[in-house]
Amino acid sequence: MVQVATLLLLRHGRTTANADGGLAGRQPVELDETGRAQAGAVGERLRAVPLAAVVTSPLIRCQQTVALALPQADPVVDEGLIECGYGSWEGQPLKKLAKEPLWPVVQQHPSAAVFPEGESMAQMAARAVAAVRAWDARLTAEHGPEAVWLACSHGDVIKAIVADALGVHLDLFQRIVVDPASVTAIRYTPLRPFLLRLNDIGGDLNALVPPPRKRRRRTGRPADSDAAVGGGAGASG
């Protein structure tokens, strides 16, 4: 089984918009006090993880999260990880938006949702998935299959990336939960992606670092399980 890098998807910490029930979109909304504490806490969990690269959405809430969690990092900004362009919906209360005719489409058929003066959910998903897959391939080639890297982004963006990894239609992505400052781990392989962690807010992240590869001795014995052909997450690296 070809080994590959491991991607850690980090959602930014809680913002003032999250706390107030508003849709921040691409507005320069910053972390609130809780969000700053969340960023510091996830930084402690990431301390023992050797990161080959840190990539972030250009929005201030993601950059603040990375700066607080990983102060020694030199993050690279990637526009592909930016929040969905909600257009004229940005800055409005969610309880008001819930009365809009487009709201049921966003919730039940998001692949058809196009935000007024903004982008579509399908466009957001396509450019986000393309961004992380390109970075993953590049970092695997540059740093080897033991590499672990981190991308800091937004709830809907991460949910779309997870849906792609699971092989489920975008219309099902609202079933996925991604909390502020949570970590989701994905390992892409030539055969399929493996979702290693989802919405993790307290686990041991160091366990996600792949062990060094060992040389195999040719024994001619058959595999003991289907793991040798991708039967589980451990088979991918």
Side-chain angles (χ1 to χ4, degrees), residues 156-196:
D156 280 349
V157 175
I158 295 174
K159 285 160 59 177
I161 293 170
V162 170
D164 170 75
L166 290 174
V168 303
H169 199 281
L170 186 62
D171 286 344
L172 301 179
F173 99 134
Q174 296 291 23
R175 302 183 183 194
I176 299 167
V177 176
V178 177
D179 290 319
S182 64
V183 175
T184 293
I186 296 173
R187 190 171 294 148
Y188 294 100
T189 77
L191 180 61
R192 66 172 74 89
F194 289 96
L195 180 64
L196 307 179

Side-chain angles (χ1 to χ4, degrees), residues 89 93-101 103-104:
W89 276 32
L94 291 173
K95 61 182 180 181
K96 176 184 176 182
L97 294 173
K99 300 176 183 178
E100 294 286 336
W103 183 266

Side-chain angles (χ1 to χ4, degrees), residues 2-203:
V2 178
Q3 294 184 330
V4 289
T6 303
L7 162 63
L8 304 183
L9 289 162
L10 171 64
R11 186 183 175 189
H12 60 78
R14 196 180 83 166
T15 67
T16 53
N18 295 143
D20 295 339
L23 184 64
R26 297 181 180 180
Q27 295 184 329
V29 175
E30 301 191 22
L31 301 183
D32 65 6
E33 184 176 348
T34 296
R36 291 177 176 274
Q38 289 172 334
V42 78
E44 290 298 318
R45 298 174 59 212
L46 290 165
R47 188 180 301 276
V49 181
L51 296 173
V54 176
V55 187
T56 180
S57 157
L59 296 182
I60 185 65
R61 54 192 183 270
C62 285
Q63 297 202 50
Q64 287 177 331
T65 299
V66 169
L68 290 167
L70 302 165
Q72 305 303 320
D74 184 18
V76 178
V77 172
D78 191 325
E79 292 285 342
L81 297 177
I82 197 170
E83 178 65 287
C84 184
Y86 297 117
S88 61
W89 276 32
E90 293 186 0
Q92 297 195 49
L94 291 173
K95 61 182 180 181
K96 176 184 176 182
L97 294 173
K99 300 176 183 178
E100 294 286 336
L102 182 60
W103 183 266
V105 180
V106 174
Q107 299 304 316
Q108 301 173 31
H109 191 25
S111 65
V114 181
F115 294 98
E117 302 175 39
E119 72 176 332
S120 69
M121 281 283 196
Q123 289 173 322
M124 174 273 290
R127 48 98 170 155
V129 169
V132 296
R133 284 180 176 265
W135 272 103
D136 197 78
R138 170 183 166 185
L139 292 169
T140 297
E142 291 180 357
H143 298 278
E146 291 84 17
V148 180
W149 67 285
L150 181 141
C152 184
S153 191
H154 309 269
D156 280 349
V157 175
I158 295 174
K159 285 160 59 177
I161 293 170
V162 170
D164 170 75
L166 290 174
V168 303
H169 199 281
L170 186 62
D171 286 344
L172 301 179
F173 99 134
Q174 296 291 23
R175 302 183 183 194
I176 299 167
V177 176
V178 177
D179 290 319
S182 64
V183 175
T184 293
I186 296 173
R187 190 171 294 148
Y188 294 100
T189 77
L191 180 61
R192 66 172 74 89
F194 289 96
L195 180 64
L196 307 179
R197 298 279 180 93
L198 175 63
N199 196 38
D200 190 326
I201 56 173

